[in-house]
Amino acid sequence: MLTSRGRLIAWAGLVFVAALASQQCSSKPAATSTAATPAAPSLDSSLAPTLSVKELMEHIIDPTSDWIFDAAVIDITRKGVTETKPLSDDDWLKVERGGYVLAESTNLLKIPRRMVPADEEGKPHQPGEPELPPEQIQAKIEKDRALWYKHADGLKAAALEAVQVAKARDLDGLFKVGDKVDKACEACHLEYWYPGDREAVLKDQNSTVTYDPPKPSSSGAASKKK
């Protein structure tokens, strides 16, 4: 049993320990406050397009789609049939890259942007021109953006199919997917750029004769479908 003097000493010890602990706790915020806390980066989520839709088409989408179109071509003339096709891994890789770039470009089409460069806006539209003026195209898009996105997604699906065709080294598939990319582009153009030509273009598409590339027959000779 502790005496009165012993209790006094023990109580004094507890007070000293509590005071020391209090001093240490109170000093922590001061130490922490001197350390610089990294500020969270401020991210600018706004998108400022560089190109108009016209420039996006001319400088990215059109030339990139040619990587697919020009990879498999059958030229029929009086001199005979000339066939162009991918022969090397690099040839097929170009098709694959074209499909990826074209697919990614469809996302750029969904970002609101002006239809033509600023210096072409407001120019008078000549009577008889097949293309609609930029302001009318813009109005059609803004009236139904879901339809605009649908056309973009159609091109994206065809472009990604071209990627798979290239990876599979599928020559027959390359001819077919090139036609799908072309029709996806044409469908959008007929909707927004020259809707007045829709009937004539569709009639021409339906009357076009398609040609299947020659395939080796069972005897080894090439056969052609008509």
Side-chain angles (χ1 to χ4, degrees), residues 161-181:
E161 186 174 340
V163 172
Q164 298 306 315
V165 165
K167 289 182 176 182
R169 304 295 193 263
D170 181 2
L171 181 59
D172 290 342
L174 184 56
F175 280 96
K176 295 175 182 177
V177 79
D179 184 59
K180 290 183 180 180
V181 171

Side-chain angles (χ1 to χ4, degrees), residues 132-148:
L132 293 179
E135 59 272 15
Q136 289 188 25
I137 300 174
Q138 186 71 55
K140 285 175 67 69
I141 292 174
E142 295 301 334
K143 183 178 180 181
D144 189 356
R145 276 208 160 263
L147 181 59
W148 174 254

Side-chain angles (χ1 to χ4, degrees), residues 103-127:
E104 196 63 50
S105 298
T106 64
N107 293 323
L108 299 179
L109 284 172
K110 294 182 178 181
I111 299 175
R113 62 184 69 229
R114 53 172 41 116
M115 297 307 300
V116 295
D119 59 353
E120 294 186 22
E121 291 182 341
K123 286 187 176 181
H125 187 70
Q126 300 299 326

Side-chain angles (χ1 to χ4, degrees), residues 8-30:
L8 180 62
I9 294 174
W11 179 82
L14 290 174
V15 171
F16 174 78
V17 171
L20 180 62
S22 176
Q23 182 180 6
Q24 289 177 343
C25 292
S26 62
S27 64
K28 286 182 180 179

Side-chain angles (χ1 to χ4, degrees), residues 64-198:
T64 301
S65 63
D66 286 340
W67 296 1
I68 300 172
F69 296 141
D70 295 345
V73 178
I74 294 178
D75 188 17
I76 305 175
T77 65
R78 293 181 178 180
K79 295 181 180 180
V81 178
T82 303
E83 182 180 0
T84 301
K85 60 184 178 181
L87 299 175
S88 65
D89 287 343
D90 286 342
D91 292 340
W92 283 109
L93 182 59
K94 186 176 181 179
V95 177
E96 183 179 336
R97 286 173 175 168
Y100 276 132
V101 174
L102 191 59
E104 196 63 50
S105 298
T106 64
N107 293 323
L108 299 179
L109 284 172
K110 294 182 178 181
I111 299 175
R113 62 184 69 229
R114 53 172 41 116
M115 297 307 300
V116 295
D119 59 353
E120 294 186 22
E121 291 182 341
K123 286 187 176 181
H125 187 70
Q126 300 299 326
E129 288 185 0
E131 294 185 4
L132 293 179
E135 59 272 15
Q136 289 188 25
I137 300 174
Q138 186 71 55
K140 285 175 67 69
I141 292 174
E142 295 301 334
K143 183 178 180 181
D144 189 356
R145 276 208 160 263
L147 181 59
W148 174 254
Y149 294 161
K150 182 180 179 180
H151 281 289
D153 290 339
L155 178 57
K156 183 175 186 177
L160 291 177
E161 186 174 340
V163 172
Q164 298 306 315
V165 165
K167 289 182 176 182
R169 304 295 193 263
D170 181 2
L171 181 59
D172 290 342
L174 184 56
F175 280 96
K176 295 175 182 177
V177 79
D179 184 59
K180 290 183 180 180
V181 171
D182 181 58
K183 287 182 177 178
C185 293
E186 194 65 50
C188 183
H189 296 165
L190 290 175
E191 183 69 42
Y192 299 103
W193 270 259
Y194 37 87
D197 290 349
R198 180 188 299 273

